[in-house]
């Protein structure tokens, strides 16, 4: 399910004044087309195709009351997870299989690269039903 559909469903089930909170990976405003393509390659599915958190919330009928950039903490978490997967490589390969292990390793490495290049961000967003 895409981000807008999730937010619309949240709006549908919330009472007036109710809140929804979540973390969202997104691209910063003002990227070039080449940077957006790179972000799409390095980030999760549809990260560059999605509108900004503000536009998504507004389109879904919600109002953002808090948006906090947590990219630094997200980078630290990705790096720690990547290191843990390397430390446990033999066990994880045995449990997950080589293909899954390699795909997860590739995803984490790509995400770290996107964060370090400044083309992938993560924010904590809180929105209210209007």
């Amino acid at each position: 399910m895409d981000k807008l559909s999730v937010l619309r469903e949240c709006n549908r089930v919330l009472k007036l004044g109710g809140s929804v909170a979540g973390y969202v990976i997104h691209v910063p405003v003002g990227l070039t087309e080449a940077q957006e393509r790179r972000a799409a390659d390095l980030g999760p599915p549809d990260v560059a195709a999605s509108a900004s958190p503000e536009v998504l919330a507004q389109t879904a009928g919600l109002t953002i009351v808090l948006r906090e950039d947590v990219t630094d903490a997200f980078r630290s978490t990705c790096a720690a997870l990547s290191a843990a997967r390397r430390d446990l490589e033999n066990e994880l390969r045995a449990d997950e299989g080589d293909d899954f292990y390699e795909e997860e390793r590739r995803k984490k490495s790509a995400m770290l690269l996107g964060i370090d290049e400044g083309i992938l961000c993560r924010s904590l967003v809180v929105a209210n039903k209007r």
Side-chain angles (χ1 to χ4, degrees), residues 1-99:
M1 188 178 276
D2 65 278
K3 293 175 187 176
L4 182 56
S5 296
V6 170
L7 289 174
R8 283 184 169 145
E9 183 63 10
C10 289
N11 185 38
R12 186 186 72 77
V13 299
L14 282 172
K15 293 179 181 179
L16 190 59
S19 299
V20 60
Y23 291 97
V24 61
I25 299 170
H26 57 93
V27 298
V29 174
L31 294 184
T32 66
E33 286 184 30
Q35 288 173 314
E36 285 192 10
R37 284 191 303 273
R38 181 126 173 97
D41 290 341
L42 297 176
D46 298 326
V47 69
S50 295
S52 70
E54 289 81 8
V55 170
L56 287 170
Q58 183 178 7
T59 303
L62 300 167
T63 301
I64 291 183
V65 295
L66 171 75
R67 178 175 171 192
E68 182 179 334
D69 185 323
V70 294
T71 305
D72 290 342
F74 180 51
R75 193 211 182 281
S76 296
T77 301
C78 283
L81 182 56
S82 188
R85 289 188 65 79
R86 275 192 310 274
D87 292 345
L88 298 170
E89 179 177 352
N90 293 335
E91 295 90 338
L92 290 170
R93 282 183 183 276
D95 187 51
E96 300 172 342
D98 289 336
D99 290 343

